[in-house]
Amino acid sequence: MRKWGENDIPDLSGKRVLITGAASGIGFEAARALAQRGAEILAVDRNEQLGRTIADRIGASKADAKLEFRMLDLSRLQAVKDFAASLAAEGRPIDILVNNAGIQPISERRTSGDGFELTFAIGHLGHFTLTGLLLPLLNAAPAPRVVTVSSLVHGQGRFNWNDLQIERGYRAQRAYNQTKLANLLFAREFQRRIDQAGSNIKSIAVHPGVAQTSIGANRKQLGKFRLADHFISSILSVVMPYLGQPASAGALPTLYGATAPDAEGGGFYGPGGFGGMKGAPAPATIKPSGQDMAAAGKLWGITEELTGIRFQL
């Protein structure tokens, strides 16, 4: 695959794109790049204060950018359902859905208002609910895509089916790894069901490699830091600038998955450089845990029970 960059994004005039976690990092850079190619952006984030500045920040480089911000806390399933209902009432097709939002948890286990482990609630359950409820709007678009952002660490993720909310032996990295594995398996199982139903949606998974974003700094908003949290933040502040690439580069796999004609449904894309940490988008290695389609199917069924959502393809 030749090197692919923002200049390869096609004209997106008339396309409507919804991006979660759009106020900063990968989500913001994806919103900026897609808006510059003419897409109408629906920027979604739980940080309302920062979200209200997205239009001005993108407008600095494209004065006529089409962008609207809407606040949404993905950890609250009823809020996701209400949000999706409001979009359904408007009836406007969605061409591209980017499931990007997520958190880097802290060492203290936190739960959502629904009682789910917070990392899993935001990254997986919230996105599953949102995607399922927006299917009518996606199916109304001529060539819809759903891009779900996973991570290099998906290979370290494991599911304890008897303790999916990690009530025993909680560790922040365990919660993060599990959620990112869930993201990848969701995208792959979604495509399997799409193919089975004969739908024309493309479900694509991506990862940003090692990108310099605010996800580490945002951990401070989640609660009181313990010694381990200060240690992790210190490591991130040293490692990320050295090994990581700018957020704009980390967003390229997302942009590739969202717009490139060659991006395949069921595919997984990330940086093509050493170790998948940096570089132009390329097919990414799926670790054994991400190839376990039996686990993907089981996770899907459990997620249906937890959220009450059934995909109508």
Side-chain angles (χ1 to χ4, degrees), residues 109-146:
R109 181 178 179 273
R110 304 295 302 276
T111 58
S112 69
D114 301 305
F116 302 120
E117 191 281 317
L118 189 60
T119 320
F120 191 71
I122 293 172
H124 176 61
L125 298 179
H127 282 133
F128 184 96
T129 301
L130 182 65
T131 305
L133 293 175
L134 292 182
L135 278 176
L137 301 183
L138 288 161
N139 281 320
R145 297 191 185 193
V146 176

Side-chain angles (χ1 to χ4, degrees), residues 9-247:
I9 299 173
D11 178 33
L12 298 174
S13 299
K15 302 288 187 181
R16 194 176 193 215
V17 182
L18 191 159
I19 304 173
T20 67
S24 62
I26 301 299
F28 173 78
E29 294 296 341
R32 174 194 57 75
L34 296 174
Q36 288 181 340
R37 299 301 295 161
E40 177 186 347
I41 306 297
L42 186 55
V44 175
D45 203 285
R46 65 176 180 163
N47 187 332
E48 186 171 13
Q49 183 177 2
L50 188 59
R52 297 294 178 190
T53 70
I54 296 175
D56 288 340
R57 286 183 283 154
I58 291 178
S61 58
K62 184 173 176 58
D64 61 346
K66 302 180 182 69
L67 186 140
E68 178 187 0
F69 169 75
R70 297 194 191 185
M71 199 277 283
L72 174 62
D73 182 352
L74 281 163
S75 74
R76 298 173 54 237
L77 293 184
Q78 189 57 53
V80 178
K81 293 172 182 178
D82 292 343
F83 176 85
S86 69
L87 289 179
E90 295 171 12
R92 299 184 59 202
I94 293 175
D95 297 274
I96 303 167
L97 170 62
V98 180
N99 291 323
N100 165 76
I103 61 169
Q104 180 78 46
I106 58 176
S107 57
E108 178 188 2
R109 181 178 179 273
R110 304 295 302 276
T111 58
S112 69
D114 301 305
F116 302 120
E117 191 281 317
L118 189 60
T119 320
F120 191 71
I122 293 172
H124 176 61
L125 298 179
H127 282 133
F128 184 96
T129 301
L130 182 65
T131 305
L133 293 175
L134 292 182
L135 278 176
L137 301 183
L138 288 161
N139 281 320
R145 297 191 185 193
V146 176
V147 179
T148 301
V149 181
S150 181
S151 168
L152 278 170
V153 303
H154 76 269
Q156 301 170 36
R158 298 289 183 274
F159 298 120
N160 179 345
W161 301 113
N162 297 315
D163 186 25
L164 201 57
Q165 305 306 322
I166 319 182
E167 297 180 80
R168 302 183 298 274
Y170 177 84
R171 299 192 312 279
Q173 194 61 45
R174 177 185 169 192
Y176 187 77
N177 296 349
Q178 171 182 269
T179 298
K180 288 305 178 182
L181 174 59
N183 291 148
L184 177 56
L185 290 181
F186 160 72
R188 301 192 73 211
E189 176 66 11
F190 186 21
Q191 186 63 51
R192 189 190 70 79
R193 291 169 180 257
I194 288 167
D195 293 341
Q196 190 174 56
S199 171
N200 70 333
I201 298 173
K202 283 187 178 182
S203 172
I204 298 168
V206 300
H207 77 82
V210 180
Q212 301 165 11
T213 72
S214 60
I215 192 170
N218 288 343
R219 297 169 70 245
K220 294 180 179 179
Q221 302 172 12
L222 299 176
K224 185 177 180 180
F225 265 29
R226 298 177 180 175
L227 180 60
D229 297 307
H230 288 291
F231 177 74
I232 291 171
S233 289
S234 297
I235 293 295
L236 289 174
S237 67
V238 172
V239 171
M240 297 298 278
Y242 179 71
L243 293 179
Q245 56 186 348

